[in-house]
Amino acid sequence: MSTQLRPTDVKRLNRHWRRRTQGRIALIAESVTQPFNLGSILRTCATFGVETVWLAGNSADPAHPQVGKTALGTEQKLRLEKASTGAQAAAAAREAGYRVAAVELARGAVPLHEAPLEGDVCLAVGAEDHGCSPGLLSAADTAVYIPQIGRVGSLNVAVAAAVAIAETRRREWREMPGGAEGAGTAEAAEAPGSH
């Protein structure tokens, strides 16, 4: 029977994955106006080691109480930058050494699982109702989309950001020597001397 890991085991498991992580991820949140969505995005970013989040356009204020309610304090563990537009955020990300990938159902976009996500990547997500702006899409190096087969044509922006960030990290971990084999199962975290 499986049981939840103790907090010390979770920390040990997280340390294992941090040692296997070399690539940098950043995120542009363009005009994400709903505080709960922004809080969820920030919490995901902190969980997966995103270094910088550019808040572009009229994104919610990270100091808003509803952002904090969802982010649970994780917003304080991130480097947050403001940008007037998504295009300006993309330029800043590129200047910081990132390749910018807009997550959007757009012409020329490639499926997320086939997208060039290696190296230092800045993912970009757009507003809840209309996605990434034309300016951000033009400024991005590539556009990627999340394949969907259901009867609904889009994902919540916080969920889309989480899927894209997780896929970016998964790709990095898969490409490392040894692949996923022996890559730190939860059982190994509990084993004596496994740290």
Side-chain angles (χ1 to χ4, degrees):
M1 182 163 91
S2 185
T3 59
Q4 287 186 336
L5 294 178
R6 298 180 312 251
T8 55
D9 295 324
V10 171
K11 287 179 183 177
R12 188 175 301 128
L13 188 60
N14 290 348
R15 274 196 307 271
H16 169 82
W17 286 105
R18 266 195 304 276
R19 286 192 296 269
R20 294 179 59 87
T21 302
Q22 297 172 354
R24 296 184 308 145
I25 299 177
L27 183 88
I28 297 168
E30 181 189 44
S31 298
V32 176
T33 59
Q34 298 299 315
F36 288 129
N37 281 338
L38 183 60
S40 183
I41 289 169
L42 295 178
R43 186 171 177 184
T44 297
C45 287
T47 299
F48 281 101
V50 170
E51 290 188 2
T52 304
V53 178
W54 279 274
L55 302 172
N58 64 336
S59 283
D61 184 344
H64 191 289
Q66 290 177 340
V67 172
K69 187 171 185 172
T70 312
L72 297 175
T74 58
E75 71 277 11
Q76 297 172 16
K77 300 180 184 306
L78 297 165
R79 180 174 170 223
L80 302 176
E81 299 284 343
K82 294 286 274 174
S84 296
T85 67
Q88 288 177 353
R94 197 171 291 106
E95 188 175 310
Y98 293 98
R99 190 173 61 259
V100 179
V103 181
E104 184 63 70
L105 290 163
R107 288 198 197 290
V110 297
L112 180 64
H113 62 279
E114 296 176 1
L117 300 175
E118 293 73 27
D120 298 337
V121 176
C122 179
L123 300 164
V125 295
E128 291 90 342
D129 54 350
H130 58 269
C132 295
S133 69
L136 176 53
L137 287 172
S138 294
D141 297 298
T142 189
V144 305
Y145 71 93
I146 300 168
Q148 300 162 44
I149 60 170
R151 295 176 189 254
V152 176
S154 67
L155 288 168
N156 169 277
V157 65
V159 173
V163 169
I165 293 167
E167 171 62 15
T168 303
R169 282 292 182 223
R170 184 197 69 80
R171 192 88 60 82
E172 175 184 15
W173 293 328
R174 181 193 69 198
E175 297 300 323
M176 296 193 77
E181 296 83 41
T185 63
E187 291 81 16
E190 293 186 273
S194 64
H195 43 87

